[in-house]
């Protein structure tokens, strides 16, 4: 079979590597960093352990499929996967709180009715029915199939259904997530709940298409899952599956360029290292196919002077927000019964959105924060300590100040009232740290692909205009997020093994 050069050891790249190795290819992964996982990182200090990337897994079926297709041991035999319940606790600006059961429509409806008043749960439940319709219309083309050559069909059509307006005796179709909140949910706290799913991915609900209703639906339908020991354990399991399939990893091996011959990708040239046979100071590794799991600007540099995209390809996203993560080492154990995840909503959503997405982006005065408190003794040095992770959506390239961190701690008090009194120390992971780990400009974090909005939230297809060169991971179809990365690896593997007529798993 063929030789495959994979650039980067992120989750999508490793998913592709494992599948291609099972198909009989010789796969070598070149990673500029000293470890695998990309954005799925870990920080350890004084016996405390923190995830520095995604903290939860949604749609675990994608990873289960990867493990089924690449070996005898299923996912659950390789990691301790547990369902988080409640899925999330929400603390709204007026002090109202609600805990939403995991993957239970009836439970969610009852909880919202009790917390927000009778009728709130029914409106949210009706919204989830419409969100499922949008999911059913877009699931295959946005998650399970290569990007259609006529991708404009996805760009021009809004899959979220129109809703009958009883008073106006006509139907009305929401064009954005914010319009769903205003027209259909008609309750500020329900609207905040809806918009928080977009904000978590760095999306502005005022312009994000209504098709983004699939984001809360995915969480509701497939549940929210955690891996004991932290999500880094999931990256470890995928890495070890690659090793078991004889994938070769070369860490500390940055690729300087993708080698082309007669218009086709035929290998990679490492950034440094002797190679007398090629008359160069850089080593050249031959390959039949090259799979690039890197950010757009890195890929452009690796194929300088080559037109990568055109025709049916969509343009890569730019200006995507990043994340600020504050890691808190606390004295005192985790209280019994606290939620794994608490979303503390801002008191001024309009100001927050303008600060994030306006003409002069900056750190919000009162940010929405997500506080993660896993029920996992392995994350702290003992039962008398607790490891807490707080994440905030921020503009890419933001230079974080100590005042910004103080604002995060102030917001965290609404979820952990005694956080300052218990604080031993804290570590801050900024957009610059994300940029260092992933190579993405400004530490930008890609969002999942979404339909409508003229294709603005679609991602470039996994194939390129350079024969033999494919792209994988969050910056390629179907976009960012752990399940999307896993499916990206499946799509690239299918395109290489079965050829351009591959249409996805059935």
């Amino acid at each position: 079979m063929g030789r495959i050069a994979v650039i980067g050891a992120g989750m999508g790249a490793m998913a592709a590597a494992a599948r291609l190795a099972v198909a009989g290819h010789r796969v070598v992964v070149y990673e500029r960093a000293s470890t695998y996982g990309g954005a799925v990182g870990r920080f350890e200090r004084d016996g405390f352990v923190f995830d520095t990337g995604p903290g939860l897994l949604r749609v675990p079926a994608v990873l289960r499929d990867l493990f089924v297709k690449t070996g005898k041991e299923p996912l659950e035999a390789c990691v301790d996967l547990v369902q988080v319940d409640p899925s999330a606790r929400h603390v709204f600006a007026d002090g109202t709180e609600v805990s939403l059961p995991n993957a239970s429509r009836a439970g969610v409806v009852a909880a919202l009715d009790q917390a927000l008043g009778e009728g709130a749960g029914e409106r949210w439940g009706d919204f989830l029915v419409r969100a499922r319709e949008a999911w059913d219309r877009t699931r295959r083309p946005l998650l399970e199939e290569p990007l259609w050559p006529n991708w404009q069909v996805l760009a021009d059509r809004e899959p979220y259904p129109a809703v009958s307006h009883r008073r106006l005796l006509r139907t009305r179709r929401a064009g954005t997530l914010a319009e769903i909140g205003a027209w259909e949910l008609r309750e500020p706290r329900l609207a905040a709940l809806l918009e928080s799913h977009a904000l978590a991915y760095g999306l502005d609900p005022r312009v994000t298409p209504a098709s983004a209703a699939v984001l809360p639906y995915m969480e509701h339908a497939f549940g929210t899952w955690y891996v004991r020991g932290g999500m880094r354990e999931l990256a470890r399991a995928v890495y070890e599956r690659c090793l078991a399939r004889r994938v070769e990893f070369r860490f500390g091996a940055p690729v300087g360029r993708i080698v082309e011959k007669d218009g086709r990708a035929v290998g990679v040239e490492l950034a440094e290292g002797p190679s007398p046979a090629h008359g160069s100071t850089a080593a050249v590794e031959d390959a039949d196919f090259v799979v690039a799991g890197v950010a757009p600007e890195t890929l452009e540099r690796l194929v300088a002077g080559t037109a990568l995209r055109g025709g049916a390809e969509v343009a890569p996203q730019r200006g995507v927000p990043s994340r600020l993560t504050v890691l808190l080492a606390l004295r005192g154990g985790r209280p019994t019964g606290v939620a794994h995840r608490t979303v503390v909503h801002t008191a001024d959503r309009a100001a927050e959105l303008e600060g994030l997405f306006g003409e002069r982006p900056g750190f919000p005065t009162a940010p929405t924060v997500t506080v993660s408190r896993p029920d996992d003794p392995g994350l702290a040095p003992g039962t008398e300590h607790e490891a807490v992770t707080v994440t905030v959506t921020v503009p890419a390239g933001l230079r974080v100040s100590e005042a910004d961190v103080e604002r995060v701690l102030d917001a965290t008090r609404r979820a952990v009232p005694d956080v300052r009194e218990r604080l031993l120390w804290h570590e801050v992971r900024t957009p610059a740290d994300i940029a260092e780990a992933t190579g993405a400009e400004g530490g930008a974090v890609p969002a999942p692909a979404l339909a409508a909005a003229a294709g603005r939230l679609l991602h470039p297809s996994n194939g390129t205009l350079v024969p033999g060169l494919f792209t994988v991971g969050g910056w390629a179809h179907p976009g960012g997020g752990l399940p999307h990365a896993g499916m990206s690896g499946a799509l690239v593997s299918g395109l290489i093994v079965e050829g351009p007529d591959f249409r996805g798993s059935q």
Side-chain angles (χ1 to χ4, degrees):
M1 298 295 284
R3 296 165 296 177
I4 313 288
V6 178
I7 306 173
M11 296 296 284
M14 289 196 295
R19 290 176 180 271
L20 288 165
V22 166
H25 294 283
R26 177 180 178 267
V27 184
V28 181
V29 177
Y30 302 89
E31 170 57 54
R32 66 185 180 88
S34 60
T35 188
Y36 54 85
V40 185
R42 170 180 286 171
F43 177 82
E44 299 183 45
R45 173 181 164 186
D46 301 338
F48 290 89
V49 179
F50 304 88
D51 285 321
T52 58
L56 292 169
L57 174 65
R58 298 169 183 85
V59 199
V62 174
L63 275 300
R64 290 186 178 119
D65 181 73
L66 170 65
F67 278 75
V68 166
K69 298 292 177 57
T70 59
K72 295 181 179 180
E73 290 184 317
L75 174 64
E76 280 80 354
C78 301
V79 297
D80 188 1
L81 189 64
V82 294
Q83 197 166 19
V84 175
D85 200 17
S87 176
R89 169 181 170 234
H90 289 264
V91 180
F92 298 103
D94 65 355
T96 306
E97 299 183 13
V98 62
S99 292
L100 301 180
N102 200 340
S104 169
R105 184 181 186 278
V108 167
V109 168
L112 289 173
D113 275 343
Q114 182 177 0
L116 307 186
E118 187 175 353
E122 181 181 1
R123 287 197 295 275
W124 185 261
D126 290 345
F127 157 73
L128 288 176
V129 171
R130 295 187 291 273
R132 177 179 179 175
E133 187 172 337
W135 167 258
D136 289 341
R137 291 173 176 175
T138 60
R139 174 179 60 87
R140 284 196 61 81
L142 284 180
L143 195 63
E144 299 176 355
E145 298 178 345
L147 187 67
W148 293 348
N150 61 333
W151 60 266
Q152 291 88 348
V153 174
L154 294 172
D156 297 338
R157 294 181 182 178
E158 174 53 71
Y160 186 80
V163 178
S164 299
H165 195 291
R166 296 176 183 175
R167 293 183 180 179
L168 299 180
L169 299 179
R170 62 179 175 84
T171 59
R172 178 165 56 180
R173 185 184 299 277
T176 67
L177 214 59
E179 288 177 348
I180 293 177
W183 296 354
E184 300 172 21
L185 299 178
R186 304 188 310 279
E187 213 287 345
R189 292 165 295 186
L190 285 181
L193 171 60
L194 172 63
E195 293 181 1
S196 67
H197 288 83
L199 193 64
Y201 288 102
L203 298 171
D204 182 352
R206 301 171 300 181
V207 298
T208 297
S211 65
V214 300
L215 300 177
Y217 175 77
M218 289 167 64
E219 181 173 304
H220 163 77
F222 303 104
T224 304
W225 302 77
Y226 172 71
V227 176
R228 294 278 184 202
M231 295 302 294
R232 176 69 178 176
E233 287 297 293
L234 184 62
R236 174 198 56 76
V238 176
Y239 171 68
E240 291 182 352
R241 178 53 55 91
C242 286
L243 294 179
R245 301 283 77 82
R246 298 186 179 180
V247 174
E248 180 182 350
F249 284 82
R250 299 186 187 177
F251 296 109
V255 171
R257 71 181 180 96
I258 294 170
V259 179
E260 297 178 48
K261 183 178 181 180
D262 299 326
R264 179 183 175 86
V266 295
V268 297
E269 181 180 275
L270 302 185
E272 53 189 34
S275 181
H278 294 83
S280 169
T281 60
V284 173
E285 304 280 346
D286 295 333
D288 297 291
F289 298 95
V290 176
V291 177
V294 297
E297 53 273 11
T298 301
L299 183 60
E300 291 170 4
R301 175 176 56 79
L302 295 178
V303 290
T306 300
L308 265 182
R309 298 181 171 89
E313 301 293 336
V314 300
Q317 296 183 58
R318 300 291 187 183
V320 181
S322 184
R323 295 191 185 104
L324 167 66
T325 304
V326 182
L327 314 175
L328 307 176
L330 304 184
R331 62 171 63 87
R334 178 182 185 271
T336 302
V338 303
H340 182 117
R341 176 178 52 142
T342 298
V343 180
V344 179
H345 295 264
T346 179
D348 191 343
R349 177 55 56 83
E352 178 180 43
L353 296 180
E354 185 60 27
L356 288 172
F357 306 107
E359 293 184 1
R360 300 181 64 182
F363 194 87
T365 302
T368 293
V369 302
T370 299
V371 182
S372 296
R373 307 177 74 179
D375 184 10
D376 189 344
L379 302 187
T383 58
E384 297 304 314
H385 295 88
E386 183 182 10
V388 175
T389 302
V390 186
T391 57
V392 187
T393 296
V394 298
L398 177 73
R399 299 182 65 178
V400 178
S401 69
E402 191 58 39
D404 297 332
V405 177
E406 289 299 313
R407 292 191 186 101
V408 172
L409 291 175
D410 285 341
T412 302
R413 289 180 69 97
R414 298 176 61 200
V416 189
D418 55 356
V419 61
R420 289 187 181 275
E421 293 77 10
R422 297 174 57 195
L423 186 62
L424 292 171
W425 50 261
H426 70 272
E427 284 281 340
V428 179
R429 315 303 287 179
T430 69
D433 294 312
I434 296 176
E436 175 63 26
T438 66
E441 185 176 352
V445 178
L450 294 172
R456 178 171 52 84
L457 289 173
L458 295 176
H459 291 256
S461 89
N462 306 106
T464 72
L465 295 184
V466 178
L469 173 61
F470 296 84
T471 60
V472 72
W475 295 105
H477 179 72
L482 284 174
H484 297 74
M487 189 53 67
S488 177
L491 293 175
V492 168
S493 174
L495 288 168
I496 291 176
V497 173
E498 300 187 27
D501 293 332
F502 173 69
R503 289 296 177 262
S505 59
Q506 300 298 321

